[in-house]
Amino acid sequence: MRALIFALAFCAALPAWAGEGHDHGDSAPVGNANGPGRQPDGSVFLPKPAQRQLGLRTVAVDEGDLARSVELSGRVVMDPNAGGKVQPMTAGRLEAGPKGLPTVGQPVRKGEVLAYVVSTMAPLERSAQAAQLAELRAARALAEKRAARLKTLSDTVARKELEAADSEVASLAARLSALGGALGARESLVAPVSGVIAASFAVAGQVVDARELIYEVVDPARFHIEALAFDAELATDVAGASMAVGQAPVALQ
């Protein structure tokens, strides 16, 4: 009996180890009562050092009646009364204007010539117009000689024949001028409004089509803000609007 008691006492004094597969795990970590954490009521506790690290600042608020504000996604669009597009009426080859081809951001004035479009024609069409010009020149030369001869016989020739000869000469001269101008004509592309070049698609020697966009001119002091509101009631009760530019709000008119 004494031997059994002695053996039990000896075993109790020795350390005990758990066998393989009998890991009881580490002890539960002790929580930091002063650290950031969520409270039982759902609020978040954030001590001052953590606020400074995150860059959080708090201010006192006052209760009051304020207008409801709604944030909408929008975009800046051109004012149709203070901007415009420059497009040629005919196809041709692009040439620089008197001051060269303007670039983006360059100010322009209304009516200023920005570029020229030289009309291009097929070789057969050009040769046909050249032949027609030659015929008109020959006809005008004959009409001028006939009118001069009739003037020398003004005493024996009726006045209406003299007037008809002069009218024929004037008609042939006008047809020559119109056809000759169309053969080597160039269209002037002018600025529709005063402002700055917002977009440029012009390159010297470029072949452009009719109604192709060459320049966009806008007035930087007049823009529209286009925002989409899916609730129709929002558009009926707007007291004011502002646009965020960086961190500063800009009031819209």
Side-chain angles (χ1 to χ4, degrees):
M1 186 66 179
R2 291 180 179 177
L4 180 58
I5 294 174
F6 178 78
L8 291 174
F10 180 78
C11 292
L14 294 176
W17 290 273
E20 185 178 357
H22 293 80
D23 187 9
H24 296 287
D26 298 332
S27 59
V30 179
N32 185 7
N34 296 325
R38 184 178 295 276
Q39 304 299 317
D41 60 353
S43 61
V44 176
F45 173 72
L46 197 63
K48 288 294 183 181
Q51 294 182 24
R52 295 189 182 94
Q53 291 178 357
L54 297 176
L56 299 179
R57 297 294 182 267
T58 57
V59 294
V61 297
D62 298 329
E63 294 185 0
D65 296 332
L66 301 175
R68 184 182 62 172
S69 62
V70 179
E71 184 175 347
L72 301 174
S73 298
R75 61 173 183 168
V76 180
V77 297
M78 177 180 60
D79 185 353
N81 297 316
K85 298 181 179 181
V86 180
Q87 299 171 282
M89 296 296 294
T90 58
R93 181 169 47 83
L94 199 65
E95 289 185 355
K99 299 181 181 179
L101 294 175
T103 57
V104 175
Q106 179 176 337
V108 294
R109 300 183 64 84
K110 182 178 180 179
E112 180 180 346
V113 178
L114 306 180
Y116 297 105
V117 175
V118 180
S119 178
T120 56
M121 293 182 294
L124 290 178
E125 185 178 358
R126 183 178 293 275
S127 61
Q129 287 194 2
Q132 189 175 359
L133 279 174
E135 292 178 0
L136 289 175
R137 290 192 184 98
R140 185 184 64 175
L142 291 176
E144 289 175 348
K145 292 179 180 179
R146 180 172 178 274
R149 185 171 60 254
L150 290 177
K151 288 180 180 179
T152 59
L153 303 174
S154 58
D155 296 337
T156 58
V157 177
R159 184 175 181 83
K160 63 178 182 180
E161 292 186 10
L162 293 175
E163 293 177 352
D166 291 338
S167 177
E168 184 180 1
V169 172
S171 175
L172 290 172
R175 291 173 61 186
L176 272 173
S177 177
L179 188 59
L183 188 61
R186 62 179 185 177
E187 180 184 357
S188 299
L189 302 181
V190 299
V193 295
S194 297
V196 297
I197 301 294
S200 173
F201 306 96
V203 179
Q206 175 185 359
V207 178
V208 297
D209 295 328
R211 296 184 295 180
E212 182 177 346
L213 180 61
I214 306 299
Y215 290 107
E216 282 188 3
V217 183
V218 299
D219 185 354
R222 298 176 61 182
F223 282 108
H224 284 177
I225 305 298
E226 185 179 274
L228 297 179
F230 298 97
D231 187 358
E233 295 182 357
L234 293 177
T236 60
D237 187 16
V238 178
S242 62
M243 178 182 63
V245 179
Q247 299 295 332
V250 177
L252 302 178
Q253 299 180 355

